[in-house]
């Protein structure tokens, strides 16, 4: 069974493949850009999820680094 992180990553991979197909089919660039922005948002959500998971098992110094990274992502 897939973990939530693996499932999320597979959705992103599907989004990227969809973008590739849209580009190959010469779909309207505005629609392609919308899909790229959606994939970017999904990647950011995955990054935050990974950092949140890491924060549950790490030490104070690492938590500070995670918080700093989170603020740079958003």
């Amino acid at each position: 069974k897939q973990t939530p992180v693996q499932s999320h990553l597979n959705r992103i991979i599907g989004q990227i493949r969809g973008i590739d197909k849209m580009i190959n089919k010469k779909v309207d660039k505005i629609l392609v850009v919308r899909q790229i922005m959606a994939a970017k948002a999904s990647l950011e959500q995955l990054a935050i999820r990974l950092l949140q998971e890491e924060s549950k098992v790490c030490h104070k110094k690492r938590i500070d680094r995670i918080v700093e990274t989170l603020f740079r992502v958003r």
Side-chain angles (χ1 to χ4, degrees):
K1 183 177 178 176
Q2 287 190 337
T3 67
V5 168
Q6 290 168 321
S7 180
H8 194 142
L9 183 58
N10 285 334
R11 282 194 305 276
I12 294 168
I13 291 167
Q15 286 177 297
I16 301 302
R17 287 185 179 137
I19 292 166
D20 182 48
K21 288 178 185 177
M22 291 174 79
I23 291 170
N24 288 332
K25 291 182 180 181
K26 301 191 185 322
V27 172
D28 180 5
K29 300 296 189 247
I30 299 298
L31 296 175
V32 176
V33 169
R34 283 184 189 158
Q35 290 304 312
I36 291 169
M37 298 308 291
K40 178 184 177 228
S42 192
L43 280 166
E44 289 174 351
Q45 290 169 1
L46 179 58
I48 290 167
R49 170 183 258 162
L50 289 170
L51 290 171
Q52 287 171 333
E53 287 182 7
E54 181 68 14
S55 72
K56 293 176 185 174
V57 295
C58 65
H59 302 300
K60 169 78 171 94
K61 286 182 182 181
R62 289 197 47 144
I63 290 173
D64 291 342
R65 197 175 98 219
I66 288 167
V67 169
E68 179 182 320
T69 302
L70 274 172
F71 281 107
R72 276 189 271 146
V73 168
R74 292 193 158 213

